[in-house]
Amino acid sequence: MQPQTQSNRTETTDATRQLKRPPKIKAMPLIGPIRQFTGDVLPFIVETRKAYGDAFRFRIFGIEITCIAGEQAIELLRSDDLLSTQKSMRVLERALDSRLPMTFTGPQHPMYRKLHMKFLNRRLEHAKRDTIIDSVRKCCDDWQPGETLDLLHQSQSQTVHVLSRLLNYEEFPFAYKDLSLVVHTVIMATYGHVPMWIALNNPAYRAAIGRMNQHFLALVQRVRQDPELAANTLIGQYLAAEPPTGCDQWDDEDLKIVPLVAYIAGFDTVASAA
């Protein structure tokens, strides 16, 4: 799913050449399907795909969004011609007040990729399997026979609880609604569903991200002082790596987003896939 811009209109692949002008879905004038984008977007996308097929368009506040699914979407992902992280990294930099996101697309990108692959691999899953099982069990302890469950909500909750134990070496410390608010606010700010300055100045978002920043700053300080935490956290892997180009060391303000970005990445994508 991607906003139409001048740059991506001019870039073409076999998939885009074959793609006819997709139908425009029915929605409220000007505003578009904004209500569906204030919560979980997946049910809206699934139902719209059933009605309109593998490609469809809609507008939110005048910004046209094109959704492509199926084989054509897979081909676009493989070609990578229309995909860019620059805008999302700028939004994360502003939203989370950290220099780290903008270094992901620079010359140190291979280093970050190697750092993540070295830490997040099958050896970690094998070593922490009991921790993973225990974390999922705790999420399911309150289930009752005959109860109706929101499977996506449960998958999201289990994902972030597992990530918190594996990457931060702690129990998930936030309310589900706070993380959901932060994740979807950042998504809306990144992809233009609402103007970035409106999304990021939402008082509820600012309160939630403030609590998270405070917690993660304290976590970074604990990791700096505790070798065991450093060895068992993703933050510790960054501390052991080279700092950003032009900097003598990692600042706490930079590293506070390391665990949060993992939540953002896992909350919708991993949970939806599961």
Side-chain angles (χ1 to χ4, degrees):
M1 186 170 60
Q2 187 177 44
Q4 297 292 317
T5 65
Q6 185 63 36
S7 61
N8 67 37
R9 284 196 194 101
T10 58
E11 292 180 274
T12 59
T13 65
D14 290 341
T16 54
R17 291 190 191 100
Q18 296 171 5
L19 184 63
K20 296 180 179 179
R21 183 71 169 165
K24 191 172 182 179
I25 72 170
K26 295 180 180 180
M28 294 180 63
L30 181 63
I31 297 176
I34 188 64
R35 181 180 60 80
Q36 292 88 336
F37 276 80
T38 58
D40 176 37
V41 181
L42 183 62
F44 164 72
I45 298 297
V46 170
E47 292 302 317
T48 307
R49 184 186 178 192
K50 288 179 182 178
Y52 292 89
D54 282 353
F56 51 89
R57 297 175 296 129
F58 54 88
R59 286 185 176 272
I60 293 183
F61 291 113
I63 299 174
E64 183 174 280
I65 307 292
T66 298
C67 293
I68 305 174
E71 294 180 357
Q72 291 172 328
I74 293 172
E75 184 176 338
L76 288 173
L77 287 170
R78 286 174 175 166
S79 68
D80 202 30
D81 287 339
L82 304 183
L83 301 178
S84 172
T85 60
Q86 286 287 341
K87 181 180 178 183
S88 59
M89 292 301 107
R90 284 196 297 270
V91 172
L92 283 175
E93 181 182 41
R94 179 173 171 183
L96 307 178
D97 190 25
S98 169
R99 295 174 301 173
L100 184 58
M102 288 306 295
T103 67
F104 285 147
T105 55
Q108 289 180 302
H109 177 76
M111 180 196 76
Y112 295 132
R113 184 176 179 85
K114 183 178 180 180
L115 181 153
H116 282 245
M117 295 294 289
K118 184 178 179 181
F119 186 65
L120 300 169
N121 53 40
R122 294 195 178 193
R123 288 194 300 274
L124 178 67
E125 188 272 338
H126 185 268
K128 301 291 186 179
R129 187 167 296 172
D130 289 343
T131 299
I132 296 170
I133 293 172
D134 180 64
S135 182
V136 174
R137 179 186 57 77
K138 289 180 179 178
C139 291
C140 304
D141 277 347
D142 295 333
W143 289 9
Q144 299 296 324
E147 182 180 6
T148 300
L149 299 173
D150 181 334
L151 292 183
L152 183 60
H153 179 128
Q154 294 296 331
S155 182
Q156 289 170 334
S157 179
Q158 291 178 24
T159 297
V160 296
H161 277 80
V162 169
L163 286 174
S164 191
R165 297 279 293 275
L166 292 185
L167 305 184
N168 303 339
Y169 212 58
E170 65 176 4
E171 297 290 343
F172 182 65
F174 308 114
Y176 174 90
K177 65 178 183 179
D178 281 349
L179 181 60
S180 178
L181 173 64
V182 167
V183 169
H184 291 117
T185 298
V186 171
I187 290 174
M188 285 193 289
T190 301
Y191 293 104
H193 307 146
V194 296
M196 182 169 63
W197 66 272
I198 292 179
L200 299 185
N201 283 289
N202 174 1
Y205 166 79
R206 291 176 66 86
I209 196 65
R211 290 191 291 271
M212 292 184 182
N213 280 336
Q214 184 177 14
H215 176 85
F216 287 135
L217 280 172
L219 177 60
V220 171
Q221 293 169 8
R222 294 201 306 272
V223 172
R224 287 188 185 276
Q225 300 166 6
D226 188 335
E228 182 182 6
L229 271 179
N232 287 280
T233 59
L234 190 55
I235 293 173
Q237 311 311 303
Y238 275 79
L239 285 172
E242 296 179 11
T245 302
C247 300
D248 295 331
Q249 64 178 12
W250 291 104
D251 290 342
D252 290 357
E253 290 287 341
D254 296 323
L255 294 178
K256 72 183 181 184
I257 76 161
V258 170
L260 181 56
V261 169
Y263 289 150
I264 292 174
F267 187 78
D268 269 340
T269 54
V270 174
S272 297

